[in-house]
Amino acid sequence: QLIGVRTALVERRPLGRQLQLVGFVVPDESRLKRVQIRVSGWIQQLHVNRTGEPVSAGQPLLAIYSPELYQSEREFLIDQEAGDSSGAGGPGTRDTEVRLRLLGVPDEEVQRLKRERTPATRLVLRSPIAGTVLERGVVEGQYVGADTPLFSLADLSRVWVLADLYEMDMGRVKAGDRVRFVADALPGRPFEGTVQFIYPTISNQT
């Protein structure tokens, strides 16, 4: 007892291969989407105005009024009418359509423009995925430019767990290893997974 000797029955079990690490649940980086448009204008209406709000694919997010976009749609219609009168769509029509798409105009708006032949005074931007709003960067009435991030969305049906690994344990973990994750908020409900990726860099602070 004085020198701390302990006895135990011999048994077969893994020898020092299990690691207990601290991890954090984060969005899957491959399932992130940023909603932006490449023109300037004013936010006329926000259909989604709360972070954390779930959205479905195709759901309206906001409506924007852009004189720049309105002018581009008018130029497209002028070229289209000129092509119709000559009996064939000229290169000008194709050029102005490409310009609309380069400005980030959704395909459904281009098709509406061809069908109704009326330039819209406002453009409705829709969610490209079913997911959750992580960031909302605008409010109603705000003037936005092409560099303004409007929304950041994430599909949270699959998430990552980022675990901090000590440098001395790097050789004990490899891609494909099985892991079990438990959360304080869900006691008694472990989640099984596998190591997908090991970052090639380390934190110089820890």
Side-chain angles (χ1 to χ4, degrees), residues 70-93:
Y70 179 78
Q71 182 61 32
S72 297
E73 289 195 355
R74 285 195 59 193
E75 291 173 0
F76 170 78
L77 292 176
I78 292 172
D79 288 342
Q80 193 173 48
E81 290 172 2
D84 291 345
S85 63
S86 64
T93 303

Side-chain angles (χ1 to χ4, degrees), residues 86-182:
S86 64
T93 303
R94 290 190 295 271
D95 291 344
T96 50
E97 181 175 345
V98 169
R99 182 184 178 194
L100 286 176
R101 296 187 185 279
L102 290 176
L103 289 175
V105 178
D107 183 65
E108 60 266 20
E109 171 61 17
V110 175
Q111 298 305 319
R112 184 208 65 80
L113 193 59
K114 291 180 180 179
R115 184 176 60 255
E116 299 179 6
R117 302 205 171 197
T118 303
T121 58
R122 67 184 221 162
L123 177 67
V124 176
L125 295 184
R126 302 178 182 274
S127 174
I129 61 170
T132 303
V133 177
L134 295 186
E135 296 178 5
R136 175 183 58 84
V138 290
V139 296
E140 280 193 14
Q142 179 179 341
Y143 178 81
V144 296
D147 58 344
T148 305
L150 305 178
F151 285 93
S152 292
L153 310 174
D155 177 4
L156 300 179
S157 61
R158 186 180 71 194
V159 294
W160 284 356
V161 176
L162 293 184
D164 291 329
L165 181 67
Y166 286 109
E167 186 178 359
M168 62 185 178
D169 294 323
M170 283 288 291
R172 299 176 59 187
V173 179
K174 63 182 183 301
D177 285 350
R178 296 198 58 78
V179 296
R180 174 177 294 178
F181 173 73
V182 293

Side-chain angles (χ1 to χ4, degrees), residues 37 40-44 62-66 121-123 125 144:
I37 191 168
S40 57
W42 288 265
I43 304 298
Q44 282 191 328
L62 57 83
I64 183 173
Y65 168 69
S66 171
T121 58
R122 67 184 221 162
L123 177 67
L125 295 184
V144 296

